[in-house]
Amino acid sequence: QRPNLERGGERIAAGFCAMLDRHASTIEQGLANRRGKLEEKRGNRRAMMDERREERQTRREAHRMRWNENREEHFAMLEEKAESDEQKEALIEFKEAVAAAISARRKAMDAAIAAFRRGIDKVIADRKAAVDFAAEAYETALQTALEKAREGCDKGDPANQVRQQFHEDMKTARDEFTDARKDIDKIAESIKPLIEARNAQVKKLQEDFKAALKKAHDKFRAAWEENQRDLPLPRLLQRHNHRNEG
């Protein structure tokens, strides 16, 4: 029984050299398919990310336009009710203070968004470079294994030894590629600090913005009520959604 098994193994090993070119073609085709799918996935992800960014920008601009319209409506109401020169002067100062606070917040928000996107783009670029490097190293290792096996077959080395060495080299290449992918996955973890930093910055912008508006509003209310006894003061800030103004 054992001699038959040994002869069967020898025939398989001998057939390995005869089929080596077919093995090489299969491997190369598999690598080409992998590269194609990788590029397709990258293209789809990039397109989706760009689309989402554009949608967010469109929503942000719409919120700002609505905020501007609501603010002008309130200012118009106040202008109609302003009677004394002191009230009119206080209203001008109030409008300028509100406009300055909004402008500062929007510029800071736009800068924060741009910085966050640059950070995300760098993470993506770093990961792409790492994946490409690992894939290139993997393909090189496979090509080396094939060339080494082909050389062994051409020299007439024992076919079973050539076959065994080829499979060992292939396994080593796969293991090294798997380990490299694990390290690459760690790159994505650098996105979390970017998100945390952005959220903290946005929160600070919100707090500073509300504080600036409250200061301007309180100063205006004091000046207005000092010169007016019976006319109620409209609540300029009551209907605004600061979170959506962006």
Side-chain angles (χ1 to χ4, degrees):
Q1 183 71 23
R2 178 175 295 274
N4 290 335
L5 291 175
E6 291 178 352
R7 285 194 296 272
E10 291 173 356
R11 285 195 298 271
I12 292 175
F16 167 77
C17 286
M19 297 289 292
L20 187 57
D21 286 342
R22 182 175 295 182
H23 290 320
S25 178
T26 301
I27 291 172
E28 290 170 358
Q29 184 61 49
L31 293 175
N33 292 339
R34 181 192 295 270
R35 286 192 296 268
K37 290 180 180 179
L38 178 61
E39 289 303 318
E40 182 181 4
K41 180 181 289 187
R42 284 174 173 173
N44 291 338
R45 285 179 175 176
R46 185 72 217 189
M48 184 178 297
M49 185 175 71
D50 290 343
E51 182 179 354
R52 288 177 177 174
R53 286 180 175 182
E54 186 175 351
E55 288 176 353
R56 292 190 185 102
Q57 182 64 26
T58 299
R59 288 198 301 268
R60 189 178 303 110
E61 291 174 356
H63 284 311
R64 289 178 175 180
M65 289 182 63
R66 285 196 296 271
W67 216 91
N68 290 342
E69 293 171 359
N70 292 337
R71 187 175 72 251
E72 292 305 319
E73 289 178 3
H74 282 283
F75 284 150
M77 292 170 55
L78 291 173
E79 289 172 354
E80 291 177 358
K81 296 176 181 179
E83 298 176 349
S84 66
D85 292 339
E86 290 82 359
Q87 291 170 355
K88 294 177 181 179
E89 183 177 351
L91 178 56
I92 291 174
E93 292 181 359
F94 180 50
K95 290 170 65 175
E96 291 176 349
V98 171
I102 292 172
S103 177
R105 179 179 185 270
R106 288 178 176 175
K107 289 180 180 179
M109 183 69 74
D110 290 343
I113 292 171
F116 175 72
R117 289 181 175 178
R118 286 195 300 271
I120 294 296
D121 289 341
K122 184 179 185 304
V123 171
I124 293 173
D126 290 346
R127 189 179 189 282
K128 178 181 182 298
V131 169
D132 289 344
F133 181 82
E136 184 177 350
Y138 178 58
E139 292 184 16
T140 299
L142 295 186
Q143 292 296 336
T144 299
L146 285 168
E147 292 172 4
K148 185 177 179 181
R150 188 175 287 111
E151 181 180 354
C153 289
D154 292 342
K155 289 194 306 182
D157 291 343
N160 60 336
Q161 293 181 13
V162 175
R163 179 174 178 270
Q164 181 178 352
Q165 185 62 52
F166 174 75
H167 287 303
E168 289 177 358
D169 292 342
M170 293 287 286
K171 183 179 184 302
T172 299
R174 287 193 296 269
D175 291 344
E176 291 177 352
F177 182 67
T178 300
D179 292 340
R181 289 298 301 267
K182 291 179 181 178
D183 292 336
I184 290 170
D185 290 339
K186 295 178 182 178
I187 296 177
E189 296 176 3
S190 57
I191 292 179
K192 184 178 179 181
L194 293 175
I195 295 175
E196 293 174 348
R198 180 203 59 184
N199 291 345
Q201 190 173 6
V202 169
K203 181 179 179 181
K204 180 67 166 53
L205 288 175
Q206 297 282 34
E207 293 172 350
D208 292 346
F209 178 63
K210 290 181 179 181
L213 286 186
K214 185 177 186 304
K215 180 179 178 181
H217 187 268
D218 291 347
K219 181 179 179 181
F220 173 60
R221 176 183 288 276
W224 186 285
E225 292 181 341
E226 182 179 348
N227 294 280
Q228 180 170 311
R229 295 289 180 261
D230 300 326
L231 188 64
L233 178 67
R235 294 292 300 275
L236 174 67
L237 307 179
Q238 184 174 6
R239 297 180 182 179
H240 290 327
N241 187 330
H242 307 307
R243 179 174 60 83
N244 287 335
E245 190 272 337

